Amino acid sequence: MNFVRVWWTLGALLVIAATIICLMPSTEMPHEFELNDKLSHVIGHGSLALYFSGLVPRRGWWKIFVFLLLFGISIEFAQYYMRAGRDGDPRDVIANSLGALLGLLLGRIGLARWPELAAWLLGRRTAE
């Protein structure tokens, strides 16, 4: 079994889930997601950045940041134009960017090795 494909597939599903959650009308938002708005953005983008930092070589982490920045901007534009009980807020883009930087920082101090830990827990020698 090739874990790399599994991890990338799971990553794609996480991005899709984040998109759905971010574009869901606020009246339909599950109560579990009702944190402070900016904290939610920091945690969400930080989690995605940390997740992908385990899949992308460190020299390519700038691509993770750029992707998450563009993803956050796109979500805010979509929220603004959808008019479905959500508002596009430029401050959310800042919170998203800070979250992505925080996630990459956590990856830099060693948490990007999560695929190795997962492979070990699943009884494999390598993450591939």
Side-chain angles (χ1 to χ4, degrees), residues 37-85:
D37 181 52
K38 301 306 178 252
L39 183 60
S40 297
H41 285 271
V42 170
I43 291 171
H45 273 65
S47 299
L48 288 172
L50 178 59
Y51 182 86
F52 286 109
S53 73
L55 304 179
V56 175
R58 191 174 294 168
R59 67 182 176 278
W61 284 8
W62 66 271
K63 295 174 187 176
I64 297 170
F65 181 79
V66 170
F67 169 77
L68 290 174
L69 175 65
L70 295 175
F71 177 65
I73 291 170
S74 300
I75 290 293
E76 294 307 315
F77 271 111
Q79 287 178 346
Y80 178 79
Y81 287 108
M82 285 176 55
R83 302 279 188 223

CSV table of all heavy atoms in Angstrom, one decimal, residues 37-85:
chain,number,residue,atom,x,y,z
A,37,ASP,N,-14.2,33.7,15.5
A,37,ASP,CA,-14.1,33.7,14.0
A,37,ASP,C,-12.6,33.7,13.6
A,37,ASP,O,-12.2,32.8,12.8
A,37,ASP,CB,-14.8,34.8,13.4
A,37,ASP,CG,-14.7,34.8,11.9
A,37,ASP,OD1,-15.0,33.8,11.3
A,37,ASP,OD2,-14.3,35.9,11.3
A,38,LYS,N,-11.8,34.6,14.1
A,38,LYS,CA,-10.4,34.7,13.7
A,38,LYS,C,-9.6,33.5,14.1
A,38,LYS,O,-8.8,33.0,13.4
A,38,LYS,CB,-9.8,36.0,14.1
A,38,LYS,CG,-10.5,37.3,13.7
A,38,LYS,CD,-10.7,37.3,12.2
A,38,LYS,CE,-11.4,38.5,11.7
A,38,LYS,NZ,-12.8,38.3,11.2
A,39,LEU,N,-9.9,33.0,15.3
A,39,LEU,CA,-9.3,31.8,15.9
A,39,LEU,C,-9.6,30.6,15.0
A,39,LEU,O,-8.7,29.8,14.7
A,39,LEU,CB,-9.7,31.6,17.3
A,39,LEU,CG,-9.0,30.4,18.0
A,39,LEU,CD1,-7.5,30.6,18.1
A,39,LEU,CD2,-9.6,30.3,19.4
A,40,SER,N,-10.8,30.5,14.5
A,40,SER,CA,-11.2,29.4,13.6
A,40,SER,C,-10.3,29.5,12.3
A,40,SER,O,-9.9,28.4,11.8
A,40,SER,CB,-12.6,29.5,13.3
A,40,SER,OG,-13.4,29.3,14.4
A,41,HIS,N,-10.1,30.7,11.8
A,41,HIS,CA,-9.3,30.8,10.6
A,41,HIS,C,-7.9,30.4,10.9
A,41,HIS,O,-7.3,29.7,10.0
A,41,HIS,CB,-9.4,32.3,10.1
A,41,HIS,CG,-10.7,32.6,9.4
A,41,HIS,ND1,-10.9,32.4,8.1
A,41,HIS,CD2,-11.8,33.1,9.9
A,41,HIS,CE1,-12.2,32.7,7.8
A,41,HIS,NE2,-12.7,33.2,8.9
A,42,VAL,N,-7.3,30.9,12.0
A,42,VAL,CA,-5.9,30.5,12.3
A,42,VAL,C,-5.8,29.0,12.5
A,42,VAL,O,-4.9,28.4,11.9
A,42,VAL,CB,-5.5,31.3,13.6
A,42,VAL,CG1,-4.1,30.7,14.1
A,42,VAL,CG2,-5.4,32.8,13.3
A,43,ILE,N,-6.7,28.4,13.2
A,43,ILE,CA,-6.6,26.9,13.4
A,43,ILE,C,-6.8,26.2,12.1
A,43,ILE,O,-6.1,25.2,11.8
A,43,ILE,CB,-7.7,26.5,14.5
A,43,ILE,CG1,-7.3,27.0,15.9
A,43,ILE,CG2,-7.8,25.0,14.5
A,43,ILE,CD1,-8.3,26.9,16.9
A,44,GLY,N,-7.8,26.6,11.3
A,44,GLY,CA,-8.1,25.9,10.1
A,44,GLY,C,-6.9,25.9,9.1
A,44,GLY,O,-6.4,24.9,8.6
A,45,HIS,N,-6.4,27.1,8.8
A,45,HIS,CA,-5.3,27.2,7.9
A,45,HIS,C,-4.0,26.7,8.5
A,45,HIS,O,-3.1,26.1,7.8
A,45,HIS,CB,-5.1,28.6,7.4
A,45,HIS,CG,-6.0,29.0,6.3
A,45,HIS,ND1,-7.3,29.0,6.3
A,45,HIS,CD2,-5.6,29.3,5.0
A,45,HIS,CE1,-7.8,29.2,5.1
A,45,HIS,NE2,-6.8,29.4,4.3
A,46,GLY,N,-3.8,26.8,9.8
A,46,GLY,CA,-2.6,26.3,10.5
A,46,GLY,C,-2.6,24.7,10.4
A,46,GLY,O,-1.6,24.1,10.1
A,47,SER,N,-3.8,24.1,10.6
A,47,SER,CA,-3.9,22.7,10.5
A,47,SER,C,-3.6,22.2,9.0
A,47,SER,O,-2.9,21.2,8.9
A,47,SER,CB,-5.3,22.2,10.9
A,47,SER,OG,-5.5,22.6,12.2
A,48,LEU,N,-4.1,22.9,8.1
A,48,LEU,CA,-3.8,22.5,6.7
A,48,LEU,C,-2.4,22.7,6.3
A,48,LEU,O,-1.7,21.8,5.7
A,48,LEU,CB,-4.7,23.3,5.7
A,48,LEU,CG,-6.2,23.0,5.7
A,48,LEU,CD1,-6.9,24.0,4.8
A,48,LEU,CD2,-6.4,21.6,5.1
A,49,ALA,N,-1.8,23.8,6.8
A,49,ALA,CA,-0.3,24.0,6.5
A,49,ALA,C,0.5,22.9,7.2
A,49,ALA,O,1.5,22.4,6.6
A,49,ALA,CB,0.1,25.4,7.0
A,50,LEU,N,0.2,22.6,8.4
A,50,LEU,CA,1.0,21.6,9.1
A,50,LEU,C,0.8,20.2,8.4
A,50,LEU,O,1.7,19.5,8.2
A,50,LEU,CB,0.5,21.5,10.6
A,50,LEU,CG,1.2,20.4,11.4
A,50,LEU,CD1,2.7,20.6,11.4
A,50,LEU,CD2,0.7,20.4,12.8
A,51,TYR,N,-0.4,19.9,8.0
A,51,TYR,CA,-0.7,18.6,7.3
A,51,TYR,C,0.2,18.5,6.1
A,51,TYR,O,0.9,17.6,5.9
A,51,TYR,CB,-2.2,18.5,7.0
A,51,TYR,CG,-2.5,17.2,6.3
A,51,TYR,CD1,-2.7,16.1,7.1
A,51,TYR,CD2,-2.5,17.1,4.9
A,51,TYR,CE1,-3.0,14.8,6.5
A,51,TYR,CE2,-2.7,15.9,4.3
A,51,TYR,CZ,-3.0,14.7,5.1
A,51,TYR,OH,-3.2,13.5,4.5
A,52,PHE,N,0.1,19.6,5.2
A,52,PHE,CA,0.8,19.5,4.0
A,52,PHE,C,2.3,19.6,4.1
A,52,PHE,O,3.1,19.2,3.3
A,52,PHE,CB,0.2,20.5,3.0
A,52,PHE,CG,-1.1,20.1,2.4
A,52,PHE,CD1,-2.2,20.8,2.8
A,52,PHE,CD2,-1.2,19.0,1.5
A,52,PHE,CE1,-3.5,20.4,2.3
A,52,PHE,CE2,-2.4,18.6,1.0
A,52,PHE,CZ,-3.6,19.3,1.4
A,53,SER,N,2.8,20.2,5.2
A,53,SER,CA,4.2,20.3,5.5
A,53,SER,C,4.8,18.9,5.6
A,53,SER,O,6.0,18.7,5.4
A,53,SER,CB,4.5,21.2,6.7
A,53,SER,OG,4.2,20.5,7.9
A,54,GLY,N,4.0,17.9,6.0
A,54,GLY,CA,4.5,16.6,6.1
A,54,GLY,C,4.6,15.9,4.8
A,54,GLY,O,5.2,14.8,4.6
A,55,LEU,N,4.0,16.5,3.7
A,55,LEU,CA,4.0,15.8,2.4
A,55,LEU,C,4.9,16.5,1.4
A,55,LEU,O,5.3,15.9,0.4
A,55,LEU,CB,2.5,15.9,1.9
A,55,LEU,CG,1.5,15.2,2.7
A,55,LEU,CD1,0.1,15.3,2.1
A,55,LEU,CD2,1.8,13.8,3.0
A,56,VAL,N,5.2,17.8,1.7
A,56,VAL,CA,6.0,18.6,0.7
A,56,VAL,C,7.4,18.8,1.3
A,56,VAL,O,7.5,19.1,2.5
A,56,VAL,CB,5.3,19.9,0.5
A,56,VAL,CG1,6.1,20.8,-0.4
A,56,VAL,CG2,3.9,19.7,-0.1
A,57,PRO,N,8.4,18.6,0.4
A,57,PRO,CA,9.8,18.8,0.9
A,57,PRO,C,9.9,20.3,1.4
A,57,PRO,O,9.2,21.2,0.9
A,57,PRO,CB,10.7,18.6,-0.3
A,57,PRO,CG,9.9,17.7,-1.2
A,57,PRO,CD,8.4,18.1,-0.9
A,58,ARG,N,10.7,20.5,2.4
A,58,ARG,CA,10.8,21.8,3.0
A,58,ARG,C,11.1,23.0,2.0
A,58,ARG,O,10.5,24.1,2.2
A,58,ARG,CB,11.9,21.8,4.1
A,58,ARG,CG,11.8,23.1,5.0
A,58,ARG,CD,12.8,23.1,6.1
A,58,ARG,NE,12.4,22.0,7.1
A,58,ARG,CZ,13.1,21.6,8.0
A,58,ARG,NH1,14.3,22.1,8.2
A,58,ARG,NH2,12.7,20.6,8.8
A,59,ARG,N,11.9,22.7,1.0
A,59,ARG,CA,12.2,23.8,0.0
A,59,ARG,C,10.9,24.2,-0.7
A,59,ARG,O,10.9,25.3,-1.4
A,59,ARG,CB,13.3,23.3,-0.9
A,59,ARG,CG,12.9,22.2,-1.8
A,59,ARG,CD,14.1,21.8,-2.7
A,59,ARG,NE,13.7,20.6,-3.5
A,59,ARG,CZ,13.7,19.4,-3.1
A,59,ARG,NH1,14.0,19.1,-1.8
A,59,ARG,NH2,13.3,18.4,-3.8
A,60,GLY,N,9.9,23.4,-0.7
A,60,GLY,CA,8.6,23.7,-1.4
A,60,GLY,C,7.5,24.2,-0.5
A,60,GLY,O,6.4,24.4,-0.9
A,61,TRP,N,7.8,24.5,0.8
A,61,TRP,CA,6.8,25.0,1.7
A,61,TRP,C,6.2,26.3,1.3
A,61,TRP,O,5.1,26.6,1.7
A,61,TRP,CB,7.4,25.0,3.1
A,61,TRP,CG,7.5,23.7,3.7
A,61,TRP,CD1,7.3,22.4,3.2
A,61,TRP,CD2,7.8,23.4,5.1
A,61,TRP,NE1,7.5,21.4,4.1
A,61,TRP,CE2,7.8,22.0,5.3
A,61,TRP,CE3,8.1,24.2,6.2
A,61,TRP,CZ2,8.0,21.4,6.5
A,61,TRP,CZ3,8.4,23.6,7.4
A,61,TRP,CH2,8.3,22.2,7.5
A,62,TRP,N,7.0,27.1,0.6
A,62,TRP,CA,6.4,28.4,0.1
A,62,TRP,C,5.2,28.2,-0.7
A,62,TRP,O,4.3,29.0,-0.7
A,62,TRP,CB,7.5,29.2,-0.6
A,62,TRP,CG,7.9,28.6,-1.9
A,62,TRP,CD1,8.9,27.7,-2.1
A,62,TRP,CD2,7.3,28.9,-3.2
A,62,TRP,NE1,9.0,27.4,-3.5
A,62,TRP,CE2,8.1,28.1,-4.1
A,62,TRP,CE3,6.3,29.7,-3.6
A,62,TRP,CZ2,7.8,28.1,-5.5
A,62,TRP,CZ3,6.0,29.7,-5.0
A,62,TRP,CH2,6.7,28.9,-5.9
A,63,LYS,N,5.2,27.0,-1.5
A,63,LYS,CA,4.0,26.7,-2.3
A,63,LYS,C,2.8,26.4,-1.4
A,63,LYS,O,1.7,26.8,-1.8
A,63,LYS,CB,4.3,25.5,-3.2
A,63,LYS,CG,5.4,25.8,-4.2
A,63,LYS,CD,5.8,24.5,-4.9
A,63,LYS,CE,7.0,24.7,-5.8
A,63,LYS,NZ,7.4,23.5,-6.5
A,64,ILE,N,3.0,25.8,-0.3
A,64,ILE,CA,1.9,25.6,0.7
A,64,ILE,C,1.3,26.9,1.1
A,64,ILE,O,0.1,27.1,1.1
A,64,ILE,CB,2.3,24.8,1.9
A,64,ILE,CG1,2.8,23.4,1.5
A,64,ILE,CG2,1.2,24.7,2.9
A,64,ILE,CD1,3.5,22.6,2.6
A,65,PHE,N,2.2,27.8,1.5
A,65,PHE,CA,1.8,29.2,1.9
A,65,PHE,C,1.0,29.9,0.8
A,65,PHE,O,-0.1,30.4,1.1
A,65,PHE,CB,2.9,30.0,2.4
A,65,PHE,CG,2.5,31.4,2.9
A,65,PHE,CD1,1.9,31.5,4.2
A,65,PHE,CD2,2.6,32.5,2.1
A,65,PHE,CE1,1.5,32.7,4.6
A,65,PHE,CE2,2.1,33.7,2.5
A,65,PHE,CZ,1.6,33.8,3.8
A,66,VAL,N,1.5,29.9,-0.4
A,66,VAL,CA,0.9,30.6,-1.5
A,66,VAL,C,-0.5,29.9,-1.8
A,66,VAL,O,-1.5,30.6,-2.0
A,66,VAL,CB,1.8,30.6,-2.8
A,66,VAL,CG1,1.0,31.1,-4.0
A,66,VAL,CG2,3.0,31.5,-2.5
A,67,PHE,N,-0.5,28.6,-1.8
A,67,PHE,CA,-1.8,27.9,-2.0
A,67,PHE,C,-2.8,28.3,-1.0
A,67,PHE,O,-4.0,28.7,-1.3
A,67,PHE,CB,-1.6,26.4,-2.0
A,67,PHE,CG,-2.9,25.7,-2.0
A,67,PHE,CD1,-3.7,25.6,-3.2
A,67,PHE,CD2,-3.4,25.1,-0.8
A,67,PHE,CE1,-4.9,24.9,-3.2
A,67,PHE,CE2,-4.7,24.5,-0.8
A,67,PHE,CZ,-5.4,24.4,-2.0
A,68,LEU,N,-2.4,28.3,0.3
A,68,LEU,CA,-3.4,28.6,1.4
A,68,LEU,C,-3.8,30.1,1.3
A,68,LEU,O,-4.9,30.4,1.7
A,68,LEU,CB,-2.8,28.2,2.7
A,68,LEU,CG,-2.8,26.7,2.9
A,68,LEU,CD1,-2.0,26.4,4.3
A,68,LEU,CD2,-4.1,26.1,2.9
A,69,LEU,N,-2.9,31.0,1.0
A,69,LEU,CA,-3.2,32.4,0.8
A,69,LEU,C,-4.2,32.6,-0.3
A,69,LEU,O,-5.3,33.2,-0.1
A,69,LEU,CB,-1.9,33.2,0.5
A,69,LEU,CG,-2.1,34.7,0.2
A,69,LEU,CD1,-2.7,35.4,1.5
A,69,LEU,CD2,-0.8,35.3,-0.3
A,70,LEU,N,-4.0,32.0,-1.4
A,70,LEU,CA,-5.0,32.1,-2.5
A,70,LEU,C,-6.3,31.4,-2.2
A,70,LEU,O,-7.4,31.9,-2.6
A,70,LEU,CB,-4.4,31.5,-3.8
A,70,LEU,CG,-3.2,32.3,-4.4
A,70,LEU,CD1,-2.6,31.5,-5.6
A,70,LEU,CD2,-3.5,33.7,-4.7
A,71,PHE,N,-6.2,30.3,-1.5
A,71,PHE,CA,-7.4,29.6,-1.1
A,71,PHE,C,-8.2,30.4,-0.2
A,71,PHE,O,-9.4,30.6,-0.3
A,71,PHE,CB,-7.0,28.3,-0.4
A,71,PHE,CG,-8.1,27.5,0.2
A,71,PHE,CD1,-9.1,26.9,-0.6
A,71,PHE,CD2,-8.2,27.3,1.6
A,71,PHE,CE1,-10.2,26.2,-0.1
A,71,PHE,CE2,-9.3,26.5,2.1
A,71,PHE,CZ,-10.2,26.0,1.3
A,72,GLY,N,-7.6,31.1,0.8
A,72,GLY,CA,-8.3,32.0,1.7
A,72,GLY,C,-8.9,33.2,1.0
A,72,GLY,O,-10.0,33.6,1.3
A,73,ILE,N,-8.2,33.8,0.1
A,73,ILE,CA,-8.7,34.9,-0.6
A,73,ILE,C,-9.9,34.5,-1.5
A,73,ILE,O,-10.9,35.2,-1.5
A,73,ILE,CB,-7.6,35.5,-1.5
A,73,ILE,CG1,-6.5,36.2,-0.7
A,73,ILE,CG2,-8.2,36.5,-2.6
A,73,ILE,CD1,-5.3,36.6,-1.4
A,74,SER,N,-9.8,33.3,-2.1
A,74,SER,CA,-10.9,32.8,-2.9
A,74,SER,C,-12.2,32.6,-2.1
A,74,SER,O,-13.3,32.9,-2.5
A,74,SER,CB,-10.5,31.5,-3.6
A,74,SER,OG,-9.4,31.7,-4.4
A,75,ILE,N,-12.0,32.0,-0.9
A,75,ILE,CA,-13.1,31.7,0.0
A,75,ILE,C,-13.8,33.1,0.4
A,75,ILE,O,-15.0,33.2,0.4
A,75,ILE,CB,-12.6,31.0,1.3
A,75,ILE,CG1,-12.2,29.5,0.9
A,75,ILE,CG2,-13.7,31.0,2.4
A,75,ILE,CD1,-13.4,28.7,0.4
A,76,GLU,N,-13.0,34.1,0.7
A,76,GLU,CA,-13.5,35.4,1.1
A,76,GLU,C,-14.3,36.0,0.0
A,76,GLU,O,-15.4,36.6,0.2
A,76,GLU,CB,-12.4,36.3,1.7
A,76,GLU,CG,-11.8,35.8,3.0
A,76,GLU,CD,-12.8,35.5,4.0
A,76,GLU,OE1,-13.7,36.2,4.3
A,76,GLU,OE2,-12.7,34.4,4.7
A,77,PHE,N,-13.8,35.9,-1.2
A,77,PHE,CA,-14.5,36.5,-2.4
A,77,PHE,C,-15.8,35.7,-2.6
A,77,PHE,O,-16.9,36.3,-2.8
A,77,PHE,CB,-13.7,36.4,-3.7
A,77,PHE,CG,-12.8,37.6,-3.9
A,77,PHE,CD1,-11.4,37.5,-3.8
A,77,PHE,CD2,-13.4,38.8,-4.2
A,77,PHE,CE1,-10.6,38.6,-4.0
A,77,PHE,CE2,-12.6,40.0,-4.4
A,77,PHE,CZ,-11.2,39.9,-4.3
A,78,ALA,N,-15.7,34.4,-2.5
A,78,ALA,CA,-17.0,33.6,-2.6
A,78,ALA,C,-18.0,33.9,-1.6
A,78,ALA,O,-19.2,34.1,-1.9
A,78,ALA,CB,-16.6,32.1,-2.6
A,79,GLN,N,-17.5,34.1,-0.3
A,79,GLN,CA,-18.5,34.5,0.8
A,79,GLN,C,-19.1,35.8,0.5
A,79,GLN,O,-20.3,36.0,0.7
A,79,GLN,CB,-17.8,34.5,2.1
A,79,GLN,CG,-17.4,33.1,2.6
A,79,GLN,CD,-16.7,33.2,4.0
A,79,GLN,OE1,-16.2,34.2,4.4
A,79,GLN,NE2,-16.6,32.1,4.6
A,80,TYR,N,-18.3,36.7,0.0
A,80,TYR,CA,-18.8,38.1,-0.3
A,80,TYR,C,-19.9,38.1,-1.4
A,80,TYR,O,-20.9,38.7,-1.3
A,80,TYR,CB,-17.7,39.0,-0.7
A,80,TYR,CG,-18.1,40.4,-1.0
A,80,TYR,CD1,-18.4,41.3,0.0
A,80,TYR,CD2,-18.2,40.8,-2.4
A,80,TYR,CE1,-18.8,42.6,-0.4
A,80,TYR,CE2,-18.6,42.1,-2.7
A,80,TYR,CZ,-18.9,43.0,-1.7
A,80,TYR,OH,-19.3,44.2,-2.0
A,81,TYR,N,-19.6,37.3,-2.5
A,81,TYR,CA,-20.5,37.3,-3.6
A,81,TYR,C,-21.7,36.4,-3.5
A,81,TYR,O,-22.7,36.5,-4.2
A,81,TYR,CB,-19.7,37.0,-4.9
A,81,TYR,CG,-18.9,38.2,-5.3
A,81,TYR,CD1,-17.5,38.2,-5.2
A,81,TYR,CD2,-19.5,39.4,-5.8
A,81,TYR,CE1,-16.8,39.3,-5.6
A,81,TYR,CE2,-18.8,40.5,-6.2
A,81,TYR,CZ,-17.4,40.4,-6.1
A,81,TYR,OH,-16.7,41.5,-6.4
A,82,MET,N,-21.6,35.4,-2.6
A,82,MET,CA,-22.7,34.4,-2.5
A,82,MET,C,-23.9,35.0,-1.7
A,82,MET,O,-25.0,34.6,-1.9
A,82,MET,CB,-22.2,33.1,-1.7
A,82,MET,CG,-21.4,32.2,-2.6
A,82,MET,SD,-20.7,30.8,-1.7
A,82,MET,CE,-22.2,30.1,-1.0
A,83,ARG,N,-23.6,35.9,-0.8
A,83,ARG,CA,-24.7,36.5,0.0
A,83,ARG,C,-25.6,35.4,0.7
A,83,ARG,O,-26.8,35.5,0.7
A,83,ARG,CB,-25.5,37.4,-0.8
A,83,ARG,CG,-24.8,38.5,-1.5
A,83,ARG,CD,-24.6,39.6,-0.6
A,83,ARG,NE,-24.1,40.8,-1.3
A,83,ARG,CZ,-23.1,41.5,-0.9
A,83,ARG,NH1,-22.5,41.2,0.3
A,83,ARG,NH2,-22.6,42.5,-1.6
A,84,ALA,N,-24.9,34.4,1.3
A,84,ALA,CA,-25.6,33.3,1.9
A,84,ALA,C,-25.4,33.3,3.4
A,84,ALA,O,-25.2,32.3,4.1
A,84,ALA,CB,-25.2,32.0,1.3
A,85,GLY,N,-25.5,34.5,4.0
A,85,GLY,CA,-25.3,34.6,5.4
A,85,GLY,C,-23.9,34.7,5.9
A,85,GLY,O,-23.6,34.6,7.1
